[in-house]
Amino acid sequence: MSVISAILSLRRDPRILKLPPLLSALCIIIGILWLLLLPLQDYSRRTYISENALLPGQVHTYFGGSEHNVWQAYKHEVEDLSEQNTTTVVAKLADLFQSAGLKVARQKYDYITSGQRHVGENVYGILHAPRGDATEAIVLVAAWRNIDDALNQSGVSLVLALARYFKRWSLWSKDIIFVITGDSKAGPQAWVDAYHDSHDPASVASLPLKSGALQGAVVVDYAFSHRFDTLHIVYDGINGQLPNLDLFNTAVAIAEGQMGINVALQRMWRHSDSYRDRLQTMLRGMMNQGLGHASGPHSSFIPYHVDAITLQAVGDGWHDEMTMGRSVESIFRSLNNLLEQFHQSFFFYLLMQSNRFVSIGTYLPSAMLVAINFTIIAIASWVQSGRPPPSKIASTFRPRSTKEEVEVVEGDGATAIVPTQTMATVEREMFLPLSIVIGVHFLGVVPLYIFNQSSASTMNDIFTIFAYANLFLPYVLSFVLTYQFPPTEQQYLLIRSFSLLLLGMILSALATLNFSLALLVGLLSAPLSYVRPLPEHRALAMVAGFLLHLMGPSAVLAGTCWYWDTTAGDVLVEAAFGWHVSGMWTQVVIWCVWWPAWLIGSVLLACSVDPPADETSRNLTRLERSSDRQESKKSI
């Protein structure tokens, strides 16, 4: 009896209300510490090849010698085409593919996003495998202009030379498709979409020639004519998707082990294998994954479950184009050995060096802990909203003895007598809180539509107007809410509960798809767990509102653009291109999840700054009426 009575009495213990904020802060701190522990030697693993059939670096490569003269000839052809129009360039490249004995086709595309046209034409040739049945294919890609909009002269020349070289070999069991795209974003996306018949015929032409299912793709980015020092492997896909780790490990094993090339990733040109360099590499990878944009032509293949990477030559060293060609040859020999699609290794991982990684089972708790903190506060707010309000009527006369109403509670064969107030609950008025939370989240469609449909010339001005509007929007909404539909203290708690519950639920699900985006949004939204109306501390509420605005989407975007020395308009134009062309949905999370949660938190603080004069009396009247209804039910 005493145990049950003690447990039930905890429902009214004021110390219980102090636990959720502490647990929430503890989850955030542990989540951050968990992430910072990952670069340590004991929490990361060395990379390894899971698919034994790949046999990376186990073949002798023959690309070299006289092939260098062929490459030089192709390079002169490409240099002569550098000032020509698209039609002349594509026609000449098609002739070069045909002269190598390939079946050749072209494809035009014309995208319009943010008032800008992205027009171009792709050309590709298919080498049918002498030992295959045209059911599988691997792709070698070179964009005419790379991701930095530089002429990919050595890369295109190398693809042409490899097409002629591969044609002479009879060992291929898979078809090889050589693709030269007009650019590094729209061209690859148009080609891959058309290959899988998921393109828009109004913008992208169909492919006249096709082969089998694509097993993998390698992109060559060699945009200068001198020798290179480092091979930069780019692997980030759209919406945070990644290629199978076996493909990355194969490229690293061949480049470092067989060719002796220094491998870099995430633009870390000099990696000392220290904790700082590992952490910096991991955070750069998380940033690219969180942004969800296309980092190269390979990014267009990954959403179709075609594992792809980009090999980018950087620096000035002693490795020449023949070394790059032999690396590509060895990678293709390994891909040629595949008996089925990549599946044995990891698709979710964080790389902190070319030979060290952490898998999803190790890093996922970090984002989950940050998401759980919102759920903890949401549940605490829900429980608190069901408690009857404390008595606001004071009396100067207190009798010597008062009789307190009690109830008999039975459970598990025991009986306990507890005060009636301990078991009392208040009916929750949920219509207004649910309407506010749902309405504000639907309001996120407005910036999503505006930023995806506006023209590039006005994008920066529109964002400036939107950023300034965010300064006043919480106060406008709080004024309308407070004077037209004045919420009770219980309804404020329910608004916060529903908002944080939805935020925690979405971030928990998002963490399994795009861990980095979920963690970034979760950390930037962490202050929302501690936001509540402060009617008795208006100055503190104004300061908290200002600090919360600095953590909002518009302020974070403006600060990030200032740090990267770019404009918000350019970033939003790039995001609109990804939305219309690549299927990027990062902005959905920003404007339909993060921004509504931030706006609700700002409105709760704004309600503390300028409440109506009779707000307290209205709330007290509502609470008293609720208490009277409870008493009448008991008497009946």
Side-chain angles (χ1 to χ4, degrees):
M1 180 187 304
S2 60
V3 176
I4 296 178
S5 178
I7 294 175
L8 292 174
S9 65
L10 288 176
R11 299 180 60 184
R12 295 299 167 190
D13 193 332
R15 292 173 296 182
I16 294 297
L17 297 178
K18 298 179 181 179
L19 287 179
L22 296 177
L23 290 176
S24 174
L26 187 63
C27 287
I28 296 173
I29 293 173
I30 294 177
I32 295 174
L33 292 177
W34 193 296
L35 185 70
L36 296 178
L37 288 175
L38 296 179
L40 295 177
Q41 193 77 11
D42 295 335
Y43 295 92
S44 60
R45 290 189 283 173
R46 288 189 63 87
T47 56
Y48 57 93
I49 301 294
S50 299
E51 180 59 72
N52 294 325
L54 287 170
L55 299 174
Q58 300 300 310
V59 298
H60 184 73
T61 56
Y62 297 94
F63 187 76
S66 61
E67 300 301 328
H68 185 269
N69 298 327
V70 176
W71 174 83
Q72 287 283 5
Y74 283 133
K75 182 183 176 184
H76 289 307
E77 296 280 1
V78 172
E79 288 177 348
D80 293 340
L81 294 172
S82 60
E83 301 297 331
Q84 301 296 325
N85 57 36
T86 302
T87 304
T88 304
V89 170
V90 172
K92 183 61 177 179
L93 293 176
D95 290 340
L96 295 176
F97 275 139
Q98 282 182 335
S99 64
L102 307 181
K103 293 183 178 180
V104 183
R106 306 181 191 178
Q107 178 207 27
K108 292 183 178 181
Y109 58 89
D110 186 358
Y111 294 106
I112 300 178
T113 63
S114 301
Q116 297 177 337
R117 279 187 84 180
H118 303 270
V119 184
E121 188 172 1
N122 301 324
V123 59
Y124 65 100
I126 299 178
L127 168 61
H128 290 290
R131 300 186 178 185
D133 53 359
T135 58
E136 295 177 339
I138 46 183
V139 188
L140 180 60
V141 185
W144 183 253
R145 292 195 170 273
N146 67 0
I147 197 70
D148 299 321
D149 200 31
L151 179 63
N152 189 18
Q153 52 181 352
S154 297
V156 173
S157 305
L158 191 59
V159 168
L160 294 171
L162 286 170
R164 181 180 179 276
Y165 172 74
F166 285 171
K167 178 65 178 177
R168 304 205 315 257
W169 290 88
S170 61
L171 52 84
W172 305 111
S173 62
K174 295 177 175 59
D175 291 353
I176 301 178
I177 306 176
F178 302 90
V179 184
I180 298 179
T181 60
D183 58 16
S184 292
K185 293 183 179 179
Q189 191 66 50
W191 190 88
V192 177
D193 287 344
Y195 194 91
H196 294 88
D197 295 324
S198 60
H199 62 291
D200 181 7
S203 303
V204 178
S206 300
L207 297 183
L209 288 178
K210 290 185 181 180
S211 181
L214 303 182
Q215 301 297 301
V218 177
V219 181
V220 179
D221 184 356
Y222 195 164
F224 45 83
S225 57
H226 58 78
R227 300 189 176 196
F228 67 96
D229 174 65
T230 302
L231 185 64
H232 183 224
I233 301 180
V234 188
Y235 57 92
D236 306 288
I238 298 170
N239 296 323
Q241 294 176 293
L242 301 174
N244 190 272
L245 190 57
D246 267 348
L247 177 60
F248 177 85
N249 293 338
T250 299
V252 172
I254 291 172
E256 290 186 340
Q258 186 178 12
M259 302 298 167
I261 309 174
N262 179 46
V263 172
L265 59 152
Q266 301 301 341
R267 297 184 178 273
M268 290 290 293
W269 312 128
R270 292 293 179 265
H271 200 296
S272 62
D273 197 22
S274 62
Y275 172 83
R276 180 178 180 180
D277 286 349
R278 288 184 182 183
L279 179 63
Q280 188 174 358
T281 304
M282 183 184 72
L283 293 179
R284 287 187 178 187
M286 290 177 58
M287 183 61 66
N288 283 325
Q289 187 182 16
L291 292 175
H293 65 119
S295 57
H298 69 281
S299 300
S300 303
F301 290 84
I302 299 178
Y304 290 97
H305 304 289
V306 180
D307 301 290
I309 57 174
T310 292
L311 306 179
Q312 183 181 32
V314 295
D316 189 357
W318 59 277
H319 299 291
D320 61 0
E321 54 283 342
M322 294 297 102
T323 306
M324 175 72 85
R326 287 193 297 271
S327 299
V328 174
E329 177 190 0
S330 187
I331 293 174
F332 269 65
R333 293 284 295 273
S334 293
L335 294 177
N336 190 57
N337 294 335
L338 278 178
L339 301 177
E340 50 190 335
Q341 208 164 18
F342 284 107
H343 67 283
Q344 290 196 12
S345 192
F346 298 95
F347 287 95
F348 299 93
Y349 52 86
L350 293 177
L351 286 167
M352 52 197 63
Q353 197 179 358
S354 60
N355 58 359
R356 295 205 74 84
F357 79 105
V358 288
S359 63
I360 184 172
T362 305
Y363 66 72
L364 186 60
S366 177
M368 287 298 184
L369 285 169
V370 174
I372 286 172
N373 100 85
F374 301 111
T375 306
I376 292 174
I377 300 298
I379 295 174
S381 300
W382 171 265
V383 172
Q384 190 176 358
S385 67
R387 295 188 172 191
S391 177
K392 295 180 178 293
I393 302 175
S395 176
T396 58
F397 172 75
R398 180 179 297 275
R400 292 183 178 179
S401 62
T402 57
K403 292 183 179 180
E404 187 177 15
E405 297 184 4
V406 295
E407 290 186 10
V408 178
V409 180
E410 297 181 358
D412 295 333
T415 305
I417 299 176
V418 297
T420 302
Q421 187 181 5
T422 303
M423 304 298 297
T425 57
V426 176
E427 182 180 358
R428 295 179 175 90
E429 300 177 1
M430 296 190 295
F431 178 77
L432 180 62
L434 281 175
S435 300
I436 293 173
V437 173
I438 295 175
V440 171
H441 277 80
F442 272 107
L443 190 64
V445 177
V446 175
L448 178 67
Y449 177 83
I450 291 175
F451 290 132
N452 284 331
Q453 301 298 329
S454 301
S455 64
S457 59
T458 61
M459 190 73 76
N460 204 51
D461 295 334
I462 292 175
F463 174 76
T464 302
I465 296 172
F466 177 77
Y468 280 110
N470 279 335
L471 290 172
F472 305 102
L473 183 60
Y475 297 97
V476 173
L477 293 180
S478 68
F479 179 84
V480 174
L481 177 65
T482 307
Y483 280 89
Q484 298 299 323
F485 312 98
T488 63
E489 182 180 354
Q490 180 198 72
Q491 289 173 327
Y492 279 126
L493 289 171
L494 290 174
I495 291 173
R496 182 173 71 163
S497 175
F498 294 149
S499 176
L500 294 181
L501 185 65
L502 186 60
L503 179 62
M505 179 181 64
I506 294 176
L507 292 183
S508 298
L510 180 63
T512 61
L513 301 175
N514 191 336
F515 162 82
S516 303
L517 181 59
L519 182 63
L520 291 173
V521 173
L523 291 177
L524 291 171
S525 303
L528 298 177
S529 297
Y530 303 94
V531 168
R532 60 185 178 86
L534 300 170
E536 299 178 357
H537 304 85
R538 297 187 181 183
L540 179 61
M542 294 183 67
V543 174
F546 174 75
L547 295 177
L548 187 62
H549 182 77
L550 296 180
M551 301 291 287
S554 57
V556 170
L557 177 57
T560 304
C561 292
W562 173 81
Y563 179 79
W564 282 343
D565 194 22
T566 184
T567 64
D570 293 338
V571 174
L572 293 172
V573 167
E574 186 72 17
F577 176 85
W579 170 267
H580 290 286
V581 177
S582 306
M584 189 175 78
W585 42 257
T586 304
Q587 48 267 63
V588 176
V589 179
I590 302 299
W591 303 122
C592 296
V593 178
W594 180 17
W595 183 74
W598 169 84
L599 184 58
I600 291 174
S602 299
V603 169
L604 291 178
L605 281 175
C607 289
S608 309
V609 176
D610 190 23
D614 58 341
E615 180 62 20
T616 303
S617 60
R618 289 184 182 179
N619 289 345
L620 181 58
T621 302
R622 291 190 178 189
L623 293 173
E624 290 176 349
R625 288 177 180 175
S626 178
S627 178
D628 292 341
R629 287 196 298 268
Q630 295 291 333
E631 293 295 336
S632 62
K633 289 181 180 179
K634 290 181 181 179
S635 61
I636 293 174

